[in-house]
Amino acid sequence: MLPTSLFTRRAAGLLAIAGFASAFATQASAQAKFDTPLHIVVGYAPGGATDRVARIVGDKLGAKLGVAVVVDNKPGAGGRLAAQQVKITPANQNVLMLANPAVMIVAPLVFKDNNYDPERDFVPVSYVNDYNFALAVSPSLPVRELNHLLAWMRANPTQANVGVPATGSLPHFFGLMVGEKANVQTQVIGYRGSAPLLNDLIGGQVPIAVDTEDVVVPQHAAGKLRILALSGAKRSPFAPNVPTFKEAGLDLSATGWNTFFAPNSMSKEKVERLSNLIREVMQDPDTQRKFKDSGMTPVVSTQAQTAAMLKAYRAQWAPVVQKSGYQP
């Protein structure tokens, strides 16, 4: 057994080495230089929620990096085209991708020719916002509470159609989650986006819809439709009078998100610097205000927290997607 004094000196020495290594890694990350513009690739057209997030963060990130930050919209194949392009980015190019679960969780499970692996080809950088799913009904449907709706669906199975903005989307699979949890048969109808879905919901052509909170809450506030429940673990600040599913009697919660990913070719030092700077951007009160003004909940996270969130999310959603038997 080592004498106490010798053990103490060795322990102190190991701690000093560990501290030096940590400080060196932090310094290396801070010194990772960006001499050319940083491109943020978004797999959707301008104007959508993911695009808005990229521009809010990109504006402030550029000032911290000291280079231009350019948002590149590369729509196609539901965001998969962008992922396929970012995957092959050479190491000498500065590129991030902002993606949601449809691209990084669902697509790899349902497309045989996906041509990218989220865990192998990308490195998570920072998780920056999450959002709820809303279950809404047409104003012509005579129900005002979730339990009343579920009773109506059981009594009218041939009419219990649930509209979603796209087949294979997170609202699609959340709608299936609701049906399974409530032991209700749901017939999901996919639309070509939120606008035609809301038009049909408000007009009574479809009785029920599931879409993201930022899309549905303004219509609810205007009295054009009724949200019966939101999917978060707690009430949303954007619709504080709407209960969560758990409060409404259904033990269910789920959220979507937007997360920055780097291609595997980017150096560890650059990834760490970007993660640290994005975290600083997300702590900025002006950034948080802009997110909230857009109906989105900002999140401040580390790389480790982002990786843990993605692991838990895959564990929650992969069984739902696989059990659905969905085929594009």
Side-chain angles (χ1 to χ4, degrees):
M1 181 177 293
L2 290 171
T4 302
S5 59
L6 180 57
F7 176 83
T8 303
R9 288 198 300 273
R10 287 192 177 183
L14 289 171
L15 286 172
I17 292 170
F20 175 78
S22 176
F24 179 80
T26 302
Q27 184 179 17
S29 171
Q31 290 177 347
K33 293 189 179 299
F34 286 78
D35 298 322
T36 58
L38 172 69
H39 290 257
I40 298 176
V41 177
V42 175
Y44 304 99
T50 304
D51 177 70
R52 293 199 304 273
V53 170
R55 294 178 191 279
I56 292 170
V57 176
D59 285 347
K60 294 186 180 290
L61 184 59
K64 291 181 178 292
L65 283 173
V67 298
V69 173
V70 181
V71 175
D72 291 336
N73 297 92
K74 296 186 181 297
R80 292 182 295 123
L81 182 62
Q84 291 163 359
Q85 292 180 358
V86 171
K87 165 193 167 181
I88 59 174
T89 301
N92 64 346
Q93 294 183 20
N94 298 320
V95 174
L96 286 178
M97 178 176 67
L98 184 64
N100 59 30
V103 178
M104 303 305 273
I105 303 293
V106 176
L109 294 171
V110 300
F111 287 96
K112 295 179 181 178
D113 59 344
N114 199 52
N115 202 29
Y116 64 89
D117 183 317
E119 296 181 81
R120 183 192 65 216
D121 299 324
F122 297 90
V123 180
V125 178
S126 190
Y127 156 46
V128 292
N129 80 289
D130 57 26
Y131 51 85
N132 294 322
F133 303 105
L135 178 69
V137 297
S138 168
S140 62
L141 198 65
V143 298
R144 295 189 174 274
E145 295 181 10
L146 180 62
N147 61 336
H148 296 159
L149 173 65
L150 298 178
W152 178 87
M153 293 174 74
R154 293 186 186 104
N156 300 275
T158 61
Q159 300 176 49
N161 298 322
V162 179
V164 297
T167 54
S169 64
L170 263 289
H172 175 171
F173 294 111
F174 184 74
L176 295 178
M177 269 189 188
V178 172
E180 182 176 359
K181 199 74 176 179
N183 195 27
V184 174
Q185 186 68 35
T186 55
Q187 178 64 42
V188 175
I189 300 175
Y191 280 75
R192 292 183 177 274
S194 295
L197 168 61
L198 292 183
N199 285 338
D200 275 8
L201 182 67
I202 293 168
Q205 281 77 35
V206 64
I208 310 160
V210 175
D211 206 336
T212 56
E213 175 182 32
D214 61 304
V215 169
V216 182
V217 166
Q219 306 298 326
H220 171 82
K224 295 181 178 181
L225 50 80
R226 289 192 298 276
I227 300 176
L228 301 187
L230 286 165
S231 68
K234 59 183 181 180
R235 291 204 180 197
S236 167
F238 307 113
N241 294 326
V242 175
T244 66
F245 277 86
K246 287 187 177 182
E247 289 175 327
L250 203 60
D251 187 14
L252 180 64
S253 66
T255 57
W257 41 258
N258 281 295
T259 294
F260 284 98
F261 294 86
N264 232 346
S265 58
M266 183 176 284
S267 72
K268 180 180 178 181
E269 292 76 20
K270 282 190 173 183
V271 171
E272 287 178 350
R273 187 177 180 207
L274 286 170
S275 179
N276 291 336
L277 291 181
I278 291 172
R279 190 164 69 252
E280 289 179 14
V281 168
M282 295 308 301
Q283 289 171 324
D284 179 17
D286 184 58
T287 301
Q288 297 202 357
R289 177 188 60 78
K290 288 177 178 178
F291 269 74
K292 291 171 184 176
D293 287 349
S294 295
M296 298 181 288
T297 302
V299 173
V300 179
S301 71
T302 64
Q303 255 192 291
Q305 289 167 334
T306 300
M309 180 278 291
L310 291 170
K311 182 178 180 180
Y313 205 92
R314 288 189 181 99
Q316 179 187 24
W317 285 85
V320 177
V321 175
Q322 291 167 334
K323 186 176 180 180
S324 74
Y326 170 71
Q327 294 292 324

